[in-house]
Structure formats: C-alpha cells, structure tokens
Amino acid sequence: MAPKSAGTVFTGILFSVCLAACLHDDSDDSGNTPGDENEAGIQLERIFPDLAFSQPVGLIPHPFDEEIWYLLEQSGRIYRLDASTGALGTLVNLAAFYPLSTCNECGLLGMAFDPNFVGNGFIYLSFMENVAGQNVSFVSAFVSADHGLTLATSSGAQLTRDDLIEVEQPYTNHNGGHIAFGPDNFLYFGLGDGGSSNDPDNNAQDLSTPLGSMLRIATNGDPAPGNPFINDPGADPRIYAYGLRNPWRWSFDRQTGELWLGDVGQNRAEEIDIIVSGGNYGWRCREGFQETANACTTSGPYIDPVAEYGRDEGISVTGGYVYRGETMAGLEGVYIFGDFGTGNIWGLFPQADDNGYERRLLMNSDLSISSFAEDADGELIVLDYGSGE
C-alpha cells in the first residue's frame, strides 16, 4: 500500500496510523502536528487528500493484489481504490439495482471474497433491502469475471445474484451485517437481535431464529458441517454461536484463528468477546459481565466477555483486530478496537499470569470509528464514518 505506513484511516479525508517514529514529517503545511498523539506515540498522518467518501462502513483488501482496496459506503456504492496511484473506480452501486433499506443501521454492510476467487470470481455482499415494505437482511453471491473490476450482469442488465441468506428484520436497528471467511473457508455472518431495545422478542436466546447469532455456512448457503446445533430439533442449523445483541465488526486472528467480536451494549456496557462454537454470550440475560433486569428464559452457562467498558468511556463499540504487523512491535498480539461515539482506541494486552487481558487506552482519535481493516502485512486500518473537514 503506498505511501507505505502502519495503516490508513478512511473518512472524508484519509490518514495513516503509525508510531510517531515512523513518520517522515510530523507536520502539515501549517506546521501543526496531524491528528492526536498519546503516550504510546500513535499518530494520524493524512494521505490521499483529494479523495472523499460518504459514511464508509467497510474496507476490504483485494485477495491477491495488495495495492487494491474496496471501500464500502452504507448507501450501496463500492469503490475500487488503487493505493499505488490513488485512482478511484466503482465496482458497483447496489442502490442502482435494488431498493436498499435506508434506516440508520441499514444499507450495504459487508463484503467478502470467495477463498477460490481466482477460480470462480465469487464476491459476497451483505446488505438490507426493502422488500414490500419489510427490511430484509441478505447475504448474496455475485460474480466478477474480470478479477474485481466489475460485477457481472445477466440478460436484462441485472446483476448475477444468488441469495444465500435472507432474514426479515422486525425493527430497523441491531442488524449486524459483517461477513468474512474463516480459516476453515466457511462464511461467517453476524446478526443483531432484531432491534428495538432489550431484545423484546428474546431472539438472542432463541435457537430457532438466526437473530442475535453468528451464522456459519458453506458457499452454497447450506449450514457448515460441524455446526454445533445442526442436529438439534427446532434449532437453526446455521447458528455457530448466539446470545449477541449487535455484533459490530469482528475478525479472525491471522495467527491463532480465534474469532474476536465487538458487541454493542444496551445502556451499561460495551463488550469484547472471543467467539467459540456453541457459545452463548448471554444477551438479553446479561450485558457484559452484568445481569440485566430483563426476563430470562435460559440459565446458561453464559460465556463472559474478554473485556467491557461503561458509558463513561464510550457508547458503541467497534470491533478491530489482533495486531500481527511489524511496524508497531510493542503491540504484537494486542487486540486493537475502538468506540464509534468517542473515537477512543484501546488495546487488550495479554497478561501471562492469569491468561486475562489488560485494557489500555492507546489514543483518542476524535473519529467516528465505523470499522477496522487489516492489510496483507498485518498492519491495521481504521475507518471514520464522518464526512471529513
């Protein structure tokens, strides 16, 4: 990625994130230090100043061309960015083909490349569509016959589309929407509890509905073999784990394969979870480490979060990545994540004595952090949902 740095922030304007020592020039034309600096020396450095985006929610690397990135705007447009030249193209604007839902947490929410993209050209998109007045979450397969330049169309100029998952949403919030392939080459899809507040339909503790769960499927849409509830009568066989409120961004540790997830809280705690097969993460019975006042229909056992923080530190967690790059050696193995409302960026530092984690504030970015991403070298990227300057 050029200019080479520890990562990139996408907003209305773009920055790189790195240790202060990696910057060639710590000032902009006005002589001011760009971005914030904290005790760890992490700063923001502006790059690609001529590019602007509206409400970016995802940044996906091309599966084999390290210079190419795909920037997802919630309204439905996917940009193709050549980081070596700054050239910007459009892979697709979904809103030109489908009536995307326009609620605050709706629209285009995720993208993933097939593990065999070179051979089959499949690209998977997660989005919400208005179907006869009903908000519906889809995970659909599309085809790119030109290695990610465009999406293929069928006769009648319609996109070639195969719906793998279709879930009606009872409310307009808590839709989750992130998708990614795991180390096992199955497709994972995180869904919120269906919305409103306090999960009024008790979806997250109900195995018969996919809401409030992490799903795991094969590329034809079938439940992945080995799913924990695949043989349970009445359970949705696609469920991998459940008890989630609104999983907003999650990732696999490229070294260990662990699945780390940020789950947005109700009004007391934001939490970070490590997701395991069959795990019940407690919502609506628990929020973070705490019992709620909600009526609870299950008795657990519930898996505690790895970490939580309260409303005095943030209002909406955005899951990140375990850092496996080389630019910031002091952060090796640290899970880095942020908060949408405050711009705080934290690290969870492994503690050898009790196998727990110590949460430390790395910086306050003053960004509306909508997502993180990871480049081919393991360097991290953070996206700002705001409109820039």
Side-chain angles (χ1 to χ4, degrees):
M1 190 166 184
K4 189 64 180 177
S5 68
T8 306
V9 178
F10 280 74
T11 174
I13 53 179
L14 287 76
F15 301 87
S16 64
V17 179
C18 58
L19 295 177
C22 84
L23 296 176
H24 298 295
D25 181 3
D26 288 342
S27 64
D28 57 24
D29 293 339
S30 66
N32 296 320
T33 300
D36 291 320
E37 183 177 1
N38 60 62
E39 295 178 359
I42 295 175
Q43 290 187 329
L44 305 182
E45 180 188 22
R46 182 171 176 171
I47 59 174
F48 301 128
D50 297 329
L51 298 183
F53 302 100
S54 175
Q55 298 179 333
V57 293
L59 183 68
I60 312 298
H62 193 283
F64 57 82
D65 189 337
E66 295 182 8
E67 301 294 347
I68 303 299
W69 292 86
Y70 295 87
L71 190 287
L72 281 62
E73 290 185 336
Q74 189 177 354
S75 61
R77 187 178 298 275
I78 302 177
Y79 286 103
R80 185 180 188 273
L81 171 64
D82 187 331
S84 65
T85 65
L88 194 66
T90 298
L91 174 70
V92 70
N93 181 7
L94 278 188
F97 294 91
Y98 310 116
L100 297 190
S101 301
T102 57
C103 59
N104 287 342
E105 298 182 29
C106 299
L108 175 63
L109 299 172
M111 175 180 177
F113 286 91
D114 193 279
N116 187 32
F117 177 70
V118 174
N120 59 32
F122 289 150
I123 294 175
Y124 304 87
L125 300 180
S126 166
F127 55 97
M128 291 185 64
E129 188 175 338
N130 188 304
V131 180
Q134 174 72 48
N135 292 317
V136 181
S137 291
F138 287 96
V139 175
S140 303
F142 297 84
V143 178
S144 176
D146 49 19
H147 303 294
L149 284 171
T150 60
L151 293 186
T153 57
S154 59
S155 59
Q158 293 299 307
L159 294 176
T160 302
R161 170 180 169 182
D162 181 18
D163 294 334
L164 306 181
I165 295 176
E166 181 177 347
V167 179
E168 290 190 2
Q169 295 284 354
Y171 303 97
T172 60
N173 55 344
H174 306 175
N175 302 313
H178 186 51
I179 56 174
F181 279 92
D184 54 11
N185 288 336
F186 291 117
L187 184 61
Y188 290 70
F189 176 40
L191 272 169
D193 63 9
S196 189
S197 62
N198 291 301
D199 192 8
D201 299 324
N202 196 36
N203 291 318
Q205 290 297 312
D206 183 356
L207 285 172
S208 70
T209 174
L211 295 170
S213 301
M214 179 69 70
L215 307 186
R216 176 175 174 262
I217 64 170
T219 54
N220 63 359
D222 289 344
N227 276 358
F229 308 107
I230 199 167
N231 295 317
D232 288 12
D236 189 318
R238 300 169 297 179
I239 292 177
Y240 181 77
Y242 65 111
L244 303 173
R245 182 177 180 273
N246 189 21
W248 188 252
R249 299 318 185 216
W250 42 269
S251 65
F252 293 93
D253 182 342
R254 61 167 56 193
Q255 185 174 108
T256 67
E258 286 182 319
L259 174 50
W260 290 73
L261 178 146
D263 197 14
V264 180
Q266 176 69 46
N267 50 32
R268 292 199 291 180
E270 306 296 303
E271 68 181 76
I272 299 296
D273 298 302
I274 296 179
I275 302 299
V276 298
S277 176
N280 180 353
Y281 292 83
W283 179 251
R284 69 180 185 177
C285 303
R286 296 178 64 171
E287 182 179 353
F289 291 99
Q290 309 166 57
E291 291 186 5
T292 70
N294 300 320
C296 191
T297 59
T298 61
S299 58
Y302 308 120
I303 297 178
D304 284 335
V306 175
E308 70 169 17
Y309 63 92
R311 285 295 178 268
D312 57 333
E313 296 185 84
I315 62 172
S316 183
V317 67
T318 298
Y321 285 80
V322 176
Y323 181 70
R324 298 298 181 186
E326 297 181 354
T327 305
M328 300 182 288
L331 297 179
E332 164 64 24
V334 173
Y335 180 72
I336 298 175
F337 65 102
D339 185 84
F340 179 84
T342 63
N344 286 339
I345 297 176
W346 292 279
L348 292 183
F349 289 74
Q351 303 298 292
D353 53 351
D354 61 0
N355 295 320
Y357 295 86
E358 178 187 359
R359 182 171 57 90
R360 303 178 195 168
L361 181 66
L362 300 180
M363 72 178 304
N364 180 275
S365 67
D366 291 327
L367 303 177
S368 297
I369 300 171
S370 61
S371 191
F372 288 79
E374 183 183 45
D375 73 12
D377 298 323
E379 305 299 344
L380 298 188
I381 298 161
V382 56
L383 285 73
D384 179 12
Y385 189 76
S387 57
E389 294 180 334

